Amino acid sequence: MTATEPTHRSRARIAAPGEGIGLDELALATRNHGMPLEALRYDVTPPGLHYVLTHYDIPAVDPATWSLEVGGAVARPLRLSLDDLRRRPAVTSRVLLECAGNGRARYEPRPVSQPWLLEAVGTAEWTGTPLAPLLEEAGPADGAVDVAFTGADHGVERGVEQDYARGLPLAEAVRPEVLLVWGMNGMPLPPQHGAPLRLLVPGWYGMAHVKWLTRIEVLDRPFDGYQNTTAYRLKVDAAEAGEPVTRIAPRALLAPPGWPDFMTRERFLRPGPVTLTGRAWSGRAPIQGVEVSTDGGATWSPAEVAPADPAHPWAWRAWTFPWTAEPGSWELLARATDAEGSQPTEQVWNRQGMANNLVQRVPVTVLG
Amino acid sequence: MTATEPTHRSRARIAAPGEGIGLDELALATRNHGMPLEALRYDVTPPGLHYVLTHYDIPAVDPATWSLEVGGAVARPLRLSLDDLRRRPAVTSRVLLECAGNGRARYEPRPVSQPWLLEAVGTAEWTGTPLAPLLEEAGPADGAVDVAFTGADHGVERGVEQDYARGLPLAEAVRPEVLLVWGMNGMPLPPQHGAPLRLLVPGWYGMAHVKWLTRIEVLDRPFDGYQNTTAYRLKVDAAEAGEPVTRIAPRALLAPPGWPDFMTRERFLRPGPVTLTGRAWSGRAPIQGVEVSTDGGATWSPAEVAPADPAHPWAWRAWTFPWTAEPGSWELLARATDAEGSQPTEQVWNRQGMANNLVQRVPVTVLG
């Protein structure tokens, strides 16, 4: 199977107009975890509130017998235990992660996959060791181009049985911020986040941060595994090869103000001054600004964005916007801008619902 | 509004035949967290994998200024800081929790609410102080019948704006296993589980374990708040008052064997011997046994259930069942029995989808 000759099974399904969420999508939504948007209030997402997406089951990995293999096109293949890795220089880095499918469930028509609304985000303090020196010790061959990372999670997608594996260009893999991590928020990595070891590629969507890592293989050819050639591609027609999904596009999210209706999730607040708050980020270039609209996008005003913190270049940034809520119905929007552009206010559709950064819309009712 | 004269807004909505999951149900599914069923492998559910249901937003409570009020029909009203509570005798208890709505999404017709499949469970080590001595110090009045517990979480349900509040019969509230807890799995209670303090009522469905507790009020009359009189009732017709939801009915869950298809969640495994594993529990009486069927419920055989552990009377119990998987399609079922009966193999429907303990069905394909 190749990306340019898709079989029926290799095509992502697109929901019919008006088709409700199916039990298959629901099974994904109930097992994968979103970050409730009120948790935008925390600089570091508390344990258990960070988003989680696992393609297959969370594997049971015994850290005592686990080891990491580094091989392929290298001069000196390595095998490292968790203790070996922990003896290496350790760093802790505050990094935002976002799933490439965030926002997919509001696409029209809807690609049938994990149905995220907007909650597939989180920021954690990750502890691990830089990958570059380890690769350097292994000694990549002169013609090396990609590095393949394989996890212990096993499953099948569109007919292809596989261990989850992703390729990353060697030039990206040796960036200093790329880590092999065993700790999260000062604790051992939890099972659902890849224990005992995961890859961390700050700035990239979540699919690059391979969990339950077992093998790193340097390649002298482009990686042609399923997750790179079929799954994470930006394409409108099934027949096209599409562009690969890479870095996180800019996004601002607003913590919905007021209180919700349990079932409808409608929001209510009392009239008067209210400070709208949220976070903004981009994985491709620094955030230049955040704008807020309280009238459904008719007019926009700049929010106050917290200064970039040199200690945490890969974290999200807080923003605030003062609003005087007057009785009635309002639609609140926020959009981020980085050096490459702003979030779109109309959807830019692709058939797998990837890298969508359409602006968030938060309808609210201000009581009389 | 009373339970016997429901207005339109006070009725739970029932989905039409064939109606897919709506965006409102999805918004609940993506913000509330289920426990992926492979996590049945852990005696104690790791941090972040325990189920979470919050009716409204997770409130921001400052533990430094927070205090708990104990009042109502008592001789000596109390106000306690978190430090006051921590100075009291502390116990740690391993307790299973389950949401009263677990399994609702497979009901036919489907009550429209949080659409759990079967993952609204978890077992944690909770640390706190027994409630009974505290109530004793406050001195309930002679005619006291109920105790009302109010949280800091605020929202609206079917037109009723409220802080989440539940009443518990005084006789239940003074049982020795009922705790006020500030710790979970050896760590401070996380925000989504009720920080800084929640109620723990072992054996009862999750709605009783009030989170973000701010006030305990002893009542000389039955509590008539929304969550007891309207929300958590077992009724088939909207007009009936219905029975209250109380203790957890028996249930066995099977950790689905093999590996999944990412999208369809179909399960595959290779032929040969496989040990099926799972957990069983009941909040109303000890588990007497677990049976497994591998032929869709035509025949049943007893599983081996781990002995009851006197140290953890409120935890779930592990069970195993040896199976020789032969090529073909199979449907695996498990059912628990306690002193009051077994799980049903046909649904027992109620209009809010509460306390449903229909047996789980796990279709699997054994490869040739």
Side-chain angles (χ1 to χ4, degrees), chain A residues 13 66 177 220-221 232 239 323 354:
Chain A
R13 192 170 81 79
W66 172 93
E177 67 268 21
D220 56 11
R221 62 190 188 283
Y232 289 94
W323 182 42
M354 304 279 189

Side-chain angles (χ1 to χ4, degrees), chain A residues 33-34 38 41 58 270, chain B residues 33-34 38 41 58 161 270:
Chain A
H33 292 176
E38 63 269 29
R41 74 169 73 108
I58 299 166
R270 301 198 205 291
Chain B
H33 292 175
E38 63 270 29
R41 75 170 72 108
I58 299 166
E161 190 181 331
R270 299 197 207 291

Side-chain angles (χ1 to χ4, degrees), chain B residues 105-119:
Chain B
R106 292 196 192 278
Y107 253 27
E108 291 181 8
R110 184 180 79 251
V112 174
S113 185
Q114 164 71 37
W116 295 121
L117 291 164
L118 273 175
E119 59 291 305

Side-chain angles (χ1 to χ4, degrees), chain A residues 187, chain B residues 44-48 50 92 123-127 183-188 190:
Chain A
M187 299 287 290
Chain B
V44 174
T45 308
H50 195 288
T92 293
T123 290
E125 302 264 14
W126 303 93
T127 299
M184 184 180 183
N185 297 339
M187 299 286 291

Side-chain angles (χ1 to χ4, degrees), chain B residues 22-49:
Chain B
L23 277 178
D24 50 357
E25 292 165 286
L26 180 63
L28 285 166
T30 55
R31 58 173 279 113
N32 290 312
H33 292 175
M35 186 195 79
L37 293 189
E38 63 270 29
L40 289 165
R41 75 170 72 108
Y42 306 107
D43 288 335
V44 174
T45 308
L49 287 178

